[in-house]
Amino acid sequence: MDAALARLRDNARRFAGLSLDARARLCRAMQAGMLDVAADSVRAACEAKGIPLGGSLEGEEWGLGPWIVVRHLRLIQESLAALKRTGTTPVGPVDRTADGRLSVRCFPANAIDAALFRGVRVDVHLQPGIAEQDLERSRARFYRAQISRHDGRVAAILGAGNVNAIVSQDAITKLFNEGTVCAVKMNPVNAYLGPYLERAYDAAIREGFLAVLYGGAQEGAQLVEHAAVDEIHITGSDRTFDRIVWGPPGLERDRRRAEGRPLLRKPITAELGNVSPVIVVPGPYSDRELAYQAEDIASALTYNASFDCNAAKVLITPKDWAARDALLGGIEAAFAKAPPRRAYYPGARERWERGTTGRRDIRRVGPLTGDVLPWTLCPGLDPDAPGDPAFREESFCPVLFETSVEGADPIEFLDRAVAFANTQLWGTLNATLIVHPATLRDPRLAESVERAIGALRYGAVGVNAFPGLIFAYGTPPWGAYPGSSLTDVQSGIGWVHNTPMLEGIEKAVLWHPLTAWPKPAYHLSQRKTNVLIRRMTALEERGSWSKVPGVIAAAVRS
């Protein structure tokens, strides 16, 4: 570790001063390297997670690994090219939110995105008080304002163990958005990925801009405390964050926290999970529309065996809503489409038992044997029981909880549901709103929906779709709602991805059709996702129109 960090330290200043052309060449080399190891790394991930090769589930690992990373690196190349050509990064239309803040379109990023993701857009809401000239001056700050350039910094990244793309994307953000060299420590859960990253990013490693390290908690502590490290980024749990910042649990940590004396004296950013709400706004849903949204909710739980920080966790329905039973039944029916999955993440069985024990109504789909956990729905939780662990702890296992909130009409329900999510659920990372198009055509109700989106204290809000799409697209920023502190970190501090390199971000908002055909690749009924995402990975190398027909054909056949 000492030698690797010394080499990064020696090369940090040189990296900070690289030209745009040199950065673009490095980015292209990293992308080519990822494409070279893509199939091998996916096979390793499938073996580690108990996923059979050649089936639809293999597509998850293409989506959670190579596709996202190859896309991210292409988008960075486009931002660097735009910086060279125009002095700024590409963004879409600039608008205003219902309460007057700036809103910047960042997806679709190009015409191919618009063709493949019809009717989908992502707008980034900026914080109050930011004017359009501020947006222009602050964007791509490291590149555009000489005063903000540092003369070489070393970032330590503690990698996530659940989604293989995360460690790459965290490093890409640090390298190309912020100009820091990176020491990446692999999480023990997916340390098998490390050798593939070493092969993929050989160009950056040989130049002394990147190092891949291994080990557990002890090595992680040595890394963040090392004198050569200037800043830290972690994707993981709030417990790990607190241990790094405040020390091990006990009276001494409590005293330091109360007195505002953190052990850590370095800047730290983090993404730390969430109890993710799904708020269903009442409306004139048809049976087909309810079934589609039931599958979307179920897919947002089952994807990656539910080991996602953005997995659906608490469904919030209107009290006495006539369609409630149909929606819950649709979720169970969708669970039945999901094959049993190995609960590969440590502690899942214990968390599942803790979350389900003593519940009045537990609906299980699939076996509970060995390291396989059933897809589980726990409806009817009391919204007035704020101490319920379902509301206060991220379960990180395949359990979806449901609770009902009072509301005489959609407006009152929305106000109460948003207040419940903001105050009773732990975390500030992502939330979902399900809203019928007819509701949005009513000016009074549409205003209520816009107000709810603005009021939700989450860094990502998905309307009618899994907010994990915001994570995947690359152009939107991904992170917790701003305002967390070291003493109350919630879902984290700071932003990653964000290839337009925006500043002053409040949240990213995904707008998606209520139903879509072909269905999104993450939906449970997609049966050829492995073919689809592999083709999408090839498309993302250069954003080539020649690859689009094959992608569409795979999506339709799925």
Side-chain angles (χ1 to χ4, degrees):
M1 180 183 295
D2 288 343
L5 291 173
R7 190 158 183 263
L8 291 175
R9 178 82 274 162
D10 289 344
N11 288 283
R13 180 187 292 270
R14 182 166 65 91
F15 182 71
L18 281 187
S19 68
L20 290 169
D21 285 340
R23 290 178 189 278
R25 285 193 296 272
L26 179 64
C27 194
R28 282 194 295 273
M30 292 174 67
Q31 187 193 49
M34 176 52 66
L35 285 163
D36 284 345
V37 305
D40 289 344
S41 68
V42 167
R43 279 193 292 271
C46 288
E47 181 179 355
K49 296 181 180 182
I51 294 172
L53 291 172
S56 184
L57 282 181
E58 182 190 329
E60 275 193 13
E61 293 310 313
W62 279 95
L64 293 169
W67 172 59
I68 298 179
V69 176
V70 171
R71 176 180 172 85
H72 193 169
L73 287 164
R74 177 180 63 77
L75 292 166
I76 288 290
Q77 291 175 62
E78 292 179 1
S79 289
L80 294 172
L83 279 164
K84 182 179 179 181
R85 187 175 62 254
T86 69
T88 190
T89 52
V91 295
V94 177
D95 205 343
R96 293 278 175 180
T97 65
D99 61 358
R101 282 169 291 164
L102 278 185
S103 173
V104 184
R105 181 73 43 82
C106 69
F107 184 89
N110 55 29
I112 291 179
D113 283 350
L116 295 179
F117 301 94
R118 289 177 298 173
V120 180
R121 73 179 196 269
V122 180
D123 298 324
V124 177
H125 294 187
L126 301 184
Q127 296 176 27
I130 294 179
E132 198 159 343
Q133 58 267 32
D134 300 323
L135 166 67
E136 292 304 319
R137 281 197 301 262
S138 65
R139 198 155 81 244
R141 183 178 60 186
F142 173 74
Y143 296 97
R144 299 184 64 202
Q146 191 65 35
I147 192 171
S148 71
R149 278 186 180 269
H150 53 73
D151 58 2
R153 295 181 66 80
V154 178
I157 295 175
L158 302 186
N162 57 328
V163 174
N164 283 349
I166 287 177
V167 66
S168 289
Q169 292 192 281
D170 290 349
I172 292 165
T173 303
K174 286 291 183 183
L175 287 165
F176 296 105
N177 288 35
E178 301 176 22
T180 64
V181 299
C182 298
V184 171
K185 191 195 78 67
M186 301 302 299
N187 190 296
V189 176
N190 64 351
Y192 61 83
L193 184 66
Y196 300 102
L197 297 187
E198 291 183 59
R199 285 168 51 194
Y201 304 145
D202 176 66
I205 292 170
R206 280 189 289 105
E207 290 285 347
F209 302 152
L210 179 68
V212 178
L213 307 175
Y214 301 87
Q218 181 177 347
E219 288 77 12
Q222 291 171 356
L223 176 61
V224 300
E225 293 166 4
H226 201 283
V229 169
D230 298 301
E231 58 191 62
I232 296 107
H233 179 78
I234 171 178
T235 302
S237 74
D238 59 316
R239 295 177 300 280
T240 302
F241 179 92
D242 283 345
R243 182 178 286 272
I244 290 170
V245 173
W246 301 103
L251 290 176
E252 180 59 28
R253 180 166 88 174
D254 293 343
R255 276 195 293 270
R256 280 195 295 269
R257 187 193 292 269
E259 296 168 5
R261 295 186 294 108
L263 279 180
L264 184 70
R265 298 294 184 179
K266 302 174 183 179
I268 183 169
T269 53
E271 194 261 81
L272 304 171
N274 198 53
V275 176
S276 306
V278 180
I279 300 172
V280 185
V281 182
Y285 300 98
S286 67
D287 291 344
R288 182 181 67 86
E289 290 165 339
L290 273 180
Y292 178 99
Q293 282 298 324
E295 182 176 347
D296 201 274
I297 295 165
S299 301
L301 176 91
T302 60
Y303 199 70
N304 195 26
S306 203
F307 299 119
D308 286 326
C309 55
N310 47 31
K313 284 301 165 191
V314 176
L315 179 64
I316 304 173
T317 58
K319 191 173 180 62
D320 301 323
W321 182 41
R324 173 180 176 270
D325 289 344
L327 180 64
L328 296 182
I331 292 170
E332 287 187 80
F335 281 163
K337 301 176 186 177
R341 298 289 296 272
R342 177 185 169 201
Y344 68 87
Y345 212 87
R349 177 68 176 259
E350 292 77 11
R351 291 190 297 273
W352 183 87
E353 290 176 346
R354 190 163 62 246
T356 57
T357 298
R359 301 289 180 192
R360 289 198 312 269
D361 185 3
I362 303 176
R363 308 181 190 182
R364 302 171 182 165
V365 178
L368 173 59
T369 57
D371 60 359
V372 175
L373 298 176
W375 312 117
T376 306
L377 175 64
C378 295
L381 272 63
D382 181 0
D384 296 319
D388 193 317
F391 301 152
R392 305 308 304 166
E393 301 172 12
E394 183 183 22
S395 59
F396 219 58
C397 67
V399 183
L400 175 66
F401 302 98
E402 184 263 351
T403 189
S404 294
V405 173
E406 297 273 3
D409 59 28
I411 294 177
E412 183 181 353
F413 166 75
L414 257 178
D415 289 344
R416 292 190 175 188
V418 168
F420 175 84
N422 282 344
T423 60
Q424 301 304 315
L425 301 184
W426 176 82
T428 53
L429 185 62
N430 71 106
T432 304
L433 279 179
I434 299 173
V435 186
H436 196 278
T439 302
L440 295 173
R441 287 194 291 270
D442 181 319
R444 191 174 65 97
L445 296 179
E447 181 184 355
S448 177
V449 171
E450 293 278 2
R451 186 171 65 246
I453 291 170
L456 281 164
R457 294 200 293 269
Y458 294 85
V461 177
V463 179
N464 293 332
F466 179 30
L469 290 174
I470 297 173
F471 175 94
Y473 287 153
T475 46
W478 180 258
Y481 189 80
S484 295
S485 65
L486 295 182
T487 53
D488 183 20
V489 72
Q490 292 287 313
S491 294
I493 299 169
W495 305 94
V496 292
H497 310 175
N498 184 24
T499 60
M501 306 179 193
L502 300 168
E503 299 285 340
I505 301 155
E506 183 182 83
K507 67 184 67 167
V509 180
L510 166 76
W511 292 90
H512 195 282
L514 183 66
T515 63
W517 187 87
K519 288 182 178 179
Y522 63 86
H523 266 226
L524 285 164
S525 58
Q526 288 282 18
R527 293 306 178 203
K528 295 290 184 182
T529 306
N530 55 321
V531 177
L532 172 60
I533 304 299
R534 193 163 187 164
R535 290 182 182 180
M536 289 180 70
T537 303
L539 179 153
E540 289 295 351
E541 179 180 7
R542 292 291 177 264
S544 172
W545 278 102
S546 67
K547 306 285 188 183
V548 170
V551 168
I552 293 175
V556 170
R557 285 199 298 268
S558 292

